[in-house]
Amino acid sequence: MCGIIGYVGEKDCASILLNGLKRLEYRGYDSSGIAVLNSVNDKNEISMIRRVGNLKKLEKALSEVEMKGSLGIGHTRWATHGKPHRLNAHPHSDCKNEILLVHNGIIENYEPLRKELVLKGHKFVSETDTEVLVHLVEELYKDDLVEAVKETLKRVEGSYAIVVMSIKCPNQLVGARYDSPLVVGLGDDENFLVSDMPAVLEHTNKFLIIDQGEIVNVTKGKVEIYDRNGNKINKKPYKTNWDISLAEKEGYEDFMLKEIMEQPVAVRETYRAHVYKHKISLDESSLPLEIIKKAKKIFVIACGTSLFAGFVAKGVIEKFAKITVDVVTASEFRYMNPIIPDPSIIIAISQSGETLDTIAGIREAKKKKAWVLVVSNVMESSAVRESDGAMYTFAGPEIGVAASKTHTSQIMVSYLLALYLAKIRGTITEDEIAFHLETLKGVPDKIKSVLDNHDKIKELADIYHKFPNFIFIGRKFGLPAVMEGALKLKEISYIHAEAYPAGEMKHGPIALVGENCPVVAIVNKSSIYSKIISNINEVKARGASVLALATIGDSKIKNLADHVIEVPEIPEEFSAIINVVPLQLFAYEVAKKLGCNVDQPRNLAKTVTVE
Ligand code: M6R
């Protein structure tokens, strides 16, 4: 939930750290800090700046001082223990201000450790769980920083990615991870330790991925990695094909708008990566044919927006592959002792591949001997490495906290996976697959035509941004898109929005509708078109304004709804990937009208690496 970075090299590093933090800011933005070690005439000095608020505050403070030095660490925080306050901001330091540390994660046993350290005379200045780490390193330091970190981590329960520096080791950073991501960026005469790759893409595209329990010792010319037993290990660098332009706004006002607009490309790339010469390809090693044929059940586990892609997956897999699919919130799955028949397939969906709840669900599934296939946008992410197989979305890095292009790409993967499972299970013919692939190939153009309605959606936002509550309704294949539409509106505009199956309204929620609570309805041409028209009549009769998403050319809905957004025709089972796009744009424009920071909504962080 926080972003961490470390630099060791020859350049003045304050601005390198700040720029890296800017790219990590989506992970947390309630406070931030930088510490730099400067060696002058064999004398080492540490300077540190921490500020409450987003990175602009830190940037301003940095512009007012000179911070020299070629070794440093930085942090952008999403508060868990201790409110956003300068003293709770990282880096944290030991009693003598000689050892500094940044941390992403939660130290669960910090209270007894803190008591023990206080009894030994350590002085604590913050309310954070993190501060025990740096005092423990201080307590255990003899003359080797790696050893001190290793001994510290033996005492710790919880999750962490840390970077530590010390005045006594002016050329060295020590990092470690457990349940929170950390990678080493490999440069020429310089190296980086960082939460994720996009933060340092302007310096390198070569990375070493740090695995569970590993400790890494980094100097400007050398990287040594130790496994959890202290054995030195060798790793092959991973070369990413992401480039820096993908992590920049390129003239758009916000990352979110840029990412919404990138959807035709993201979805097309994702389609192309999995379809070759009209055939869907998936490695036998990612999902063995025997498992597909014999599977008794499929579970989808995910959180937030990825969970809604999971509901789309359920609809199409059950339709085409004729196998039962349960969709379970990952944070619940791990604790409900799920009954997983043997053999079963678990599809874990996570754009970041670092969501702790989803990773914990993957571990639970593996414990129960299920085959885990992860759908992720990040190769080499933790979820990918802990799963049996992977299917990737090719959306490029997504920086806006609210997911958009990764979601539609997840939906594309879900469609392709459903058709592939159906083929292997013999529930679909080759001709049918070819027919559906033709439809899916046309999806990017249809998304593009929806995006061309941007101005119209902006006008609608002008009308609708004044309402304090919204209800979103849909049925059958329309339901996951309204769930996502309501979540998008909530998270970036802070307007209360709920999504319901339209037929459920009369069982309670209809009591809420009225002049102050408009209804957004998905009414595409489909097998349940007349049913949803009846549901719209019901809410209209109670005085609600209705904003309908309907198929181009539908004249009936124009006479019924107050406003209509037209979407191109597509078979109902594939409609979610189109319907969700105007709902993203609607949420975006409403949030902009209300003056909200869409890229960094309050209380949220892009990657949730805590429980
Ligand atoms: O990286 P993941 O897909 O695992 O993230 C899951 C959720 O945290 C994420 O989708 C969240 O709901 C976003 N804020 C949605 O916009």
Side-chain angles (χ1 to χ4, degrees), residues 523 525 529 533 550-558 564 566:
V523 211
K525 281 276 158 50
Y529 177 77
I533 290 285
T551 310
I552 294 173
D554 179 347
S555 49
K556 190 169 181 178
I557 194 69
K558 285 193 180 143
V564 177
E566 291 194 317

Side-chain angles (χ1 to χ4, degrees), residues 377-388:
N377 195 44
V378 184
M379 293 180 188
E380 297 297 318
S381 59
S382 304
V384 169
R385 281 174 300 127
E386 294 206 24
S387 297
D388 298 299

Side-chain angles (χ1 to χ4, degrees), residues 447-502:
I447 293 180
K448 166 94 181 49
S449 73
V450 172
L451 294 171
D452 290 344
N453 274 336
H454 189 182
D455 285 346
K456 160 103 198 249
I457 294 171
K458 219 179 206 168
E459 284 165 24
L460 291 170
D462 205 25
I463 300 168
Y464 281 93
H465 78 279
K466 295 167 191 140
F467 291 97
N469 296 294
F470 277 78
I471 288 193
F472 284 63
I473 58 171
R475 295 184 87 132
K476 207 177 166 184
F477 294 104
L479 199 50
V482 291
M483 289 169 156
E484 174 59 3
L487 176 67
K488 281 282 95 72
L489 192 64
K490 272 186 276 219
E491 63 179 345
I492 59 172
S493 75
Y494 318 137
I495 292 178
H496 173 232
E498 292 194 51
Y500 276 99

Side-chain angles (χ1 to χ4, degrees), residues 303-306 349-355 358 401-403 410 484 487-488 491 604-608:
C303 303
T305 292
S306 297
I349 308 182
S350 174
Q351 79 78 22
S352 63
E354 300 296 347
T355 300
T358 308
V401 165
Q410 288 169 344
E484 174 59 3
L487 176 67
K488 281 282 95 72
E491 63 179 345
L604 300 182
K606 179 85 182 154
T607 312
V608 185

